[in-house]
Amino acid sequence: MEQRNLHAWLETPLGQYVLQMEQDMLDQAVANLFGFNALQISWPHLDGLRTNRIPHHISLSTRLGGTIQAEPCALPLASQSLDLVVMPHALEFAEHPHALLREVDRVMRPEGRLVVVGFNPRSLWGVRQLFTLNRRVSPWSGHFISLSRLKDWLALLGFEMDGGRFGAYAPPFTSARWLHRFRFMELAGDRWWGVGGGIYLLQAVKRVHAMRLIMPRWQPQNVVEPSLAAAVRSAGVRRQGVQPEAHDNVVPLLPRPKAVPVSPQS
């Protein structure tokens, strides 16, 4: 039922406005990301990987229409096998968004890239959702996740933020005429109201910190060695006829043996 509502909403002028905005944002975000395997989760109406040059593209959907059909929280993929994961509105319509993020973290390689697209609840779109009476109609039936909360979730999994942007600053009018009148807000929004866009795109990198072996710091033993300098000073004192004090730590020098004359053999 929800999929049919979403498909019908995407055919409206407001849905087409969102699709075009998000397609442009994704085209720019993934164009220069490289690797071997890329995955898109949710929203098959978008081709979030069309400008990406990774050789193997996979699209996942709970219904027919994707490369594979499976539940997003149980991906049929090997661990650490993906270099790029694109998630347009997957978290907002997932029953367990935390479990979905943990599953994505499992299948991503170290230094892999994650791109998340979502509706911004701190915008005019969030106000529209707040005053919508019928919450079973898409997209207002989704659970809008704020950007700050999403950053906290990703940080707990070891992801590092790597940029993002906002879009769809125009009010969510259902009329194409009124949407066209407020198109000027797209240019003014980035400059005067940067965090007030109706949708956001966030990029993150999976960081895996390597272990470092800490060796014990051995304390050097204090070895007492005889002081040759003291011995030299002692010898100099004896040549001057002065006896060293008893408490001086000196090493006495042995007397040189006398030469013994040897008589020639008869």
Side-chain angles (χ1 to χ4, degrees):
M1 181 65 180
E2 185 174 343
Q3 292 290 335
R4 291 198 298 268
N5 290 335
L6 179 62
H7 182 75
W9 179 78
L10 291 175
E11 295 295 331
T12 64
L14 184 59
Q16 291 295 312
Y17 165 69
V18 171
L19 278 180
Q20 183 62 42
M21 181 67 61
E22 294 184 354
Q23 189 67 65
D24 295 340
M25 294 169 65
L26 286 171
D27 288 346
Q28 298 179 19
V30 305
N32 296 320
L33 301 182
F34 302 95
F36 296 95
N37 301 302
L39 171 67
Q40 176 179 334
I41 301 176
S42 182
W43 275 45
H45 315 84
L46 278 174
D47 188 0
L49 300 172
R50 70 179 186 179
T51 60
N52 184 259
R53 288 172 282 181
I54 291 179
H56 300 100
H57 290 175
I58 306 170
S59 60
L60 183 141
S61 177
T62 56
R63 298 178 180 271
L64 297 178
T67 306
I68 56 177
Q69 181 180 354
E71 289 295 331
C73 294
L75 298 175
L77 300 171
S79 300
Q80 298 186 2
S81 59
L82 298 177
D83 301 281
L84 172 63
V85 177
V86 177
M87 300 173 58
H89 305 287
L91 296 174
E92 296 159 330
F93 296 97
E95 296 183 5
H96 306 285
H98 298 88
L100 175 56
L101 280 179
R102 288 194 296 268
E103 186 68 1
V104 170
D105 175 63
R106 179 188 67 84
V107 300
M108 288 187 64
R109 296 177 183 268
E111 303 300 319
R113 299 284 181 143
L114 175 64
V115 181
V116 181
V117 179
F119 290 109
N120 184 15
R122 299 177 181 177
S123 66
L124 295 177
W125 290 67
V127 175
R128 168 66 184 277
Q129 184 195 36
L130 184 64
F131 288 96
T132 298
L133 299 178
N134 188 4
R135 289 294 185 88
R136 293 180 296 179
V137 178
S138 296
W140 319 115
S141 59
H143 179 67
F144 292 2
I145 302 172
S146 65
L147 189 59
S148 59
R149 178 176 298 182
L150 178 59
K151 289 181 178 180
D152 292 339
W153 291 357
L154 293 175
L156 291 176
L157 293 174
F159 283 86
E160 180 180 318
M161 306 307 115
D162 192 43
R165 57 173 297 188
F166 288 88
Y169 290 94
F173 294 121
T174 56
S175 171
R177 180 181 179 182
W178 282 99
L179 284 174
H180 181 73
R181 286 185 176 182
F182 281 85
R183 295 286 291 188
F184 72 92
M185 294 186 65
E186 295 300 330
L187 298 178
D190 285 334
R191 183 174 181 180
W192 302 109
W193 195 23
V195 297
I199 55 179
Y200 60 80
L201 182 145
L202 178 65
Q203 299 184 58
V205 183
K206 179 181 177 180
R207 300 297 189 191
V208 177
H209 299 283
M211 293 186 300
R212 182 168 61 94
L213 184 61
I214 301 177
M215 299 297 296
R217 180 177 296 178
W218 303 105
Q219 296 294 337
Q221 297 182 357
N222 296 325
V223 180
V224 180
E225 297 181 354
S227 178
L228 297 180
V232 174
R233 287 197 301 269
S234 174
V237 170
R238 291 194 180 196
R239 282 195 298 269
Q240 297 176 3
V242 180
Q243 297 295 332
E245 297 182 3
H247 62 271
D248 289 342
N249 184 17
V250 297
V251 179
L253 296 178
L254 296 178
R256 182 176 297 178
K258 297 181 178 180
V260 179
V262 180
S263 59
Q265 296 180 2
S266 56

